[in-house]
Amino acid sequence: MPLPLIVSDEVRALVPGFTHLAVEARGLVNGPSDATSSALLDEAARRLAERLDGRAPDQDPHVAAWRAAYTAFGAKPSRTRNSAEALARRALADGGLPRVNRLVDAYNAISVAHLIPVGGEDLNRIEGGMRLVRATGREEFVTVAGGEETVEHPEPGEIVWCDERGVTCRRWNWRQGPRTRIDDDTTDALFLLESLAPMTREELLAAGDELAGALRKVSPGARITVRGPE
């Protein structure tokens, strides 16, 4: 049964036109980054440089739309960048994109190549469904700071993803919590691609299909379902 994904009316009213696409993958085999996943990242960085043609990532229309969305709920987009912009900046820097593990490399590559925020969650660590809401400020976000587990609370009105246990990602797609993130033991995962105008439905579908293909490359035999756009 697909994992329920609900976008609250408050979020849709604040940021009209938000669309998401989900890719569910089961029977995955993860592990350290390898030649296949590294090649995906290298190709994504090449495509990004070609797309931007010397411009900064925030000059791309889709990244600019995300900056406006962050401003709408009170975040400062130059301090807390959406995940696509943050990755793009790393791709263009001297150090290049980080190698994390095969599955994370695969979805990071799609994010960079298409300049779209993409998140990955371990399906077996999500409690109940997932909801995109405006926070009250009382929700708990468990993270790690200075090597120690700590609990933060989102700002009132901040847009967050959460499940029945608490916040899974702060400031929409800025910082994921460690509880549900993909690691070497992940076998079932949800990948969420998030778009705003001017990205079209066709462009979002293309990114989702490419992610499905990348997952098959890094984890042959996985059962993959593309859901949406919604």
Side-chain angles (χ1 to χ4, degrees), residues 64-75:
W66 276 104
R67 281 185 157 237
Y70 270 47
T71 300
F73 69 80

Side-chain angles (χ1 to χ4, degrees), residues 7-31:
V7 179
S8 72
D9 291 340
E10 283 187 322
V11 171
R12 293 203 181 277
L14 186 69
V15 188
F18 167 66
T19 306
H20 66 274
L21 179 150
V23 177
E24 285 194 10
R26 299 180 185 273
L28 294 162
V29 177
N30 200 11

Side-chain angles (χ1 to χ4, degrees), residues 11-175:
V11 171
R12 293 203 181 277
L14 186 69
V15 188
F18 167 66
T19 306
H20 66 274
L21 179 150
V23 177
E24 285 194 10
R26 299 180 185 273
L28 294 162
V29 177
N30 200 11
S33 303
D34 61 9
T36 299
S37 68
S38 289
L40 290 172
L41 291 170
D42 289 341
E43 173 62 11
R46 185 198 64 77
R47 288 166 61 183
L48 173 70
E50 184 178 272
R51 172 175 177 156
L52 292 176
D53 192 24
R55 296 175 297 147
D58 61 359
Q59 294 179 289
D60 180 87
H62 195 222
V63 173
W66 276 104
R67 281 185 157 237
Y70 270 47
T71 300
F73 69 80
K76 295 181 179 179
S78 292
R79 288 181 54 193
T80 55
R81 296 183 176 91
N82 70 84
S83 62
E85 182 180 352
L87 270 178
R89 289 171 65 89
R90 294 192 71 172
L92 296 171
D94 290 342
L97 287 165
R99 270 58 175 167
V100 181
N101 57 53
R102 290 197 296 268
L103 297 179
V104 174
D105 291 353
Y107 80 76
N108 279 350
I110 300 307
S111 178
V112 168
H114 292 265
L115 269 181
I116 179 174
V118 183
E121 306 281 354
D122 189 311
L123 276 171
N124 296 316
R125 297 173 188 159
I126 296 172
E127 298 190 11
M130 292 184 64
R131 295 172 293 121
L132 186 66
V133 302
R134 299 200 72 183
T136 64
R138 297 188 298 271
E139 299 88 349
E140 292 190 349
F141 177 71
V142 180
T143 186
V144 175
E148 299 291 332
E149 186 175 283
T150 184
V151 176
E152 298 178 353
H153 298 275
E155 298 290 333
E158 181 181 325
I159 294 180
V160 297
W161 278 104
C162 57
D163 65 1
E164 296 302 321
R165 186 170 166 183
V167 174
T168 59
C169 196
R170 284 200 60 188
R171 293 181 186 143
W172 209 322
N173 47 46
W174 168 63
R175 180 186 291 171

